[in-house]
Amino acid sequence: MQTKQQVQDSIVEQGVLPLYYNESSEVSMAINQTLYKAGIRAIEYTNRGPAALDNFKALKKQQLQLPGLLLGIGTVKSADEAEQFAAAGADFLISPLVNHQVAAVAAKHGLLWIPGCMTPTEIYEAQELGAKLVKLFPANILGHAFVSAVKELFPGVQMMPTGGVEMSLENITGWFNAGVSAVGMGSKLITKSILDNKAYDQLYTETLRALQLVKSAR
């Protein structure tokens, strides 16, 4: 098992963290397989539906056939959820908010915890709870200027905007120029159309493009 720092370094090195949920375990596995084929080695599956835990367990079995892949769980809002997914083998935990109990569960299991923050107070609170990488959420509301304004206040904290990050060089370059370490991409990368139509070839192409955009933006 990798250390928290190694997992964080892997996400930052990749530069873009794909995230999604689908009620079908078959579709979820096909998405992970496609992302992996395109070069992704860290994925956030989101806890956004009743099938999330069962699907996550299926993805963990699939992970054995995908060497080097890190599989985390997002939208973790309670200690119970954190415990369930830690038991299922999550490589990291991501929350849309700062929750002391989730932080404690992550610490107990030695897991990287990435809390969602929207204000300087929340970033400070997350830092006090041990977070070294925070999710800025929702990114499209906060904007590039927010990062530029607060980044220097929190040395040692890396930032990852999520929620509305666009698949454009201008948008992604703006984030990295402001000082972020990675970007989270959900429906702008793994679109509803891709999921509904099982358009995995399109997802493969779009994932390659996302990785190239990040590389060009840095």
Side-chain angles (χ1 to χ4, degrees):
M1 181 178 175
Q2 295 195 35
T3 66
K4 290 188 285 186
Q5 189 61 54
Q6 287 172 327
V7 173
Q8 180 172 328
D9 290 345
S10 295
I11 293 171
V12 169
E13 180 181 357
Q14 183 167 281
V16 55
L17 182 65
L19 58 122
Y20 75 100
Y21 168 78
N22 191 271
E23 63 184 14
S24 164
S25 62
E26 290 76 14
V27 170
S28 298
M29 287 192 285
I31 294 292
N32 271 24
Q33 182 75 50
T34 303
L35 292 170
Y36 184 86
K37 179 183 174 185
I40 293 295
R41 293 298 180 268
I43 297 170
E44 174 191 346
Y45 195 70
T46 57
N47 178 34
R48 293 193 178 183
L53 183 57
D54 287 342
N55 287 355
F56 189 79
K57 291 175 179 177
L59 292 173
K60 288 298 296 185
K61 291 180 181 178
Q62 180 196 40
Q63 186 183 19
L64 298 174
Q65 310 304 318
L66 304 174
L69 179 66
L70 294 169
L71 184 60
I73 185 70
T75 322
V76 177
K77 297 179 290 184
S78 71
D80 286 345
E81 290 174 346
E83 287 286 7
Q84 285 181 325
F85 284 100
D91 293 311
F92 54 93
L93 303 176
I94 299 185
S95 301
L97 42 77
V98 180
N99 182 302
H100 290 233
Q101 294 177 329
V102 173
V105 172
K108 181 176 77 172
H109 292 282
L111 296 174
L112 175 68
W113 171 59
I114 306 172
C117 301
M118 195 181 181
T119 67
T121 299
E122 290 173 347
I123 297 171
Y124 175 79
E125 186 177 5
Q127 187 177 27
E128 288 291 289
L129 291 170
K132 295 183 178 180
L133 173 62
V134 300
K135 176 173 79 168
L136 301 179
F137 177 79
N140 58 331
I141 302 298
L142 292 169
H144 304 147
F146 175 81
V147 181
S148 299
V150 304
K151 187 73 172 67
E152 291 186 5
L153 300 176
F154 302 102
V157 176
Q158 295 183 298
M159 299 180 181
M160 178 175 67
T162 305
V165 175
E166 301 286 341
M167 282 277 286
S168 75
L169 183 59
E170 180 183 9
N171 186 266
I172 293 177
T173 298
W175 286 116
F176 281 98
N177 284 348
V180 307
S181 298
V183 295
M185 296 196 74
S187 60
K188 301 293 184 181
L189 171 62
I190 307 168
T191 65
K192 185 177 185 300
S193 175
I194 285 173
L195 292 171
D196 289 347
N197 298 308
K198 302 180 181 180
Y200 305 128
D201 288 344
Q202 180 187 348
L203 176 60
Y204 175 76
T205 301
E206 289 295 282
T207 305
L208 291 177
R209 185 162 77 93
L211 288 167
Q212 184 58 50
L213 286 171
V214 168
K215 184 178 180 181
S216 299
R218 284 178 150 168

